[in-house]
Amino acid sequence: MVIAIWILTLLGLALWSLVAWGLHALLGLDAGALMGDLKPLIAQIPYGSVIEQWIPGWQGLLQATLELSQTLLGWLGSAGPVLVWVLWGIGAATLLAIAAVLTVIVIVARRALAPSQHATA
C-alpha cells in the first residue's frame, strides 16, 4: 500500500510539474504579440449601433479594458517565472505532505491490526 501511495504521488508530482511548465510557457509569451492590434476590430463588431443604445460608450470601455489586459499580461509575463516557481513549490510540498501523512496512517493501521506476538506466546 505504501508503494502505491508513493507511485501515485510521483505521478501527481510529474503532472503538477507539467502544468507548471505549461503555465510558464504561456506566461512567457509576449502580450503585445499575443493580443495583437485588436483596436481596429472593435469598430467592426456587428450591431455596434444596437450595443451603443444599450451601453453608451462601450467601445471606449472595451479599448480601455484591452489596454489594461495587455498591461496586466505584460506584468504577469515578467513576474511569471517567480509566480510559477512559488505555485509549483506549494503544490509539490502539499503532494509530498499528503503522501507522508497517508504513509504514516498506513503504517500505524498495520501495526494496530497485526496480531500481537505476546498474545500467541
Side-chain angles (χ1 to χ4, degrees):
M1 187 67 170
V2 173
I3 293 173
I5 290 171
W6 285 102
I7 287 174
L8 290 175
T9 300
L10 291 176
L11 181 62
L13 192 59
L15 290 174
W16 181 246
S17 298
L18 182 64
V19 167
W21 173 77
L23 182 61
H24 182 271
L26 184 65
L27 290 177
L29 295 175
D30 183 26
L34 184 63
M35 297 185 82
D37 192 17
L38 297 176
K39 290 180 184 177
L41 295 176
I42 293 174
Q44 297 175 0
I45 292 179
Y47 303 107
S49 59
V50 175
I51 297 172
E52 185 69 34
Q53 290 176 355
W54 286 91
I55 305 170
W58 69 275
Q59 289 180 336
L61 180 65
L62 190 58
Q63 287 179 355
T65 305
L66 181 64
E67 291 172 5
L68 179 66
S69 62
Q70 283 179 335
T71 303
L72 181 65
L73 285 175
W75 177 82
L76 276 176
S78 64
V82 174
L83 290 173
V84 169
W85 274 109
V86 168
L87 288 175
W88 181 85
I90 291 170
T94 302
L95 283 171
L96 293 174
I98 290 171
V101 167
L102 288 175
T103 301
V104 169
I105 290 172
V106 167
I107 291 172
V108 169
R110 277 187 190 165
R111 287 186 183 164
L113 295 176
S116 174
Q117 292 180 357
H118 298 293
T120 59

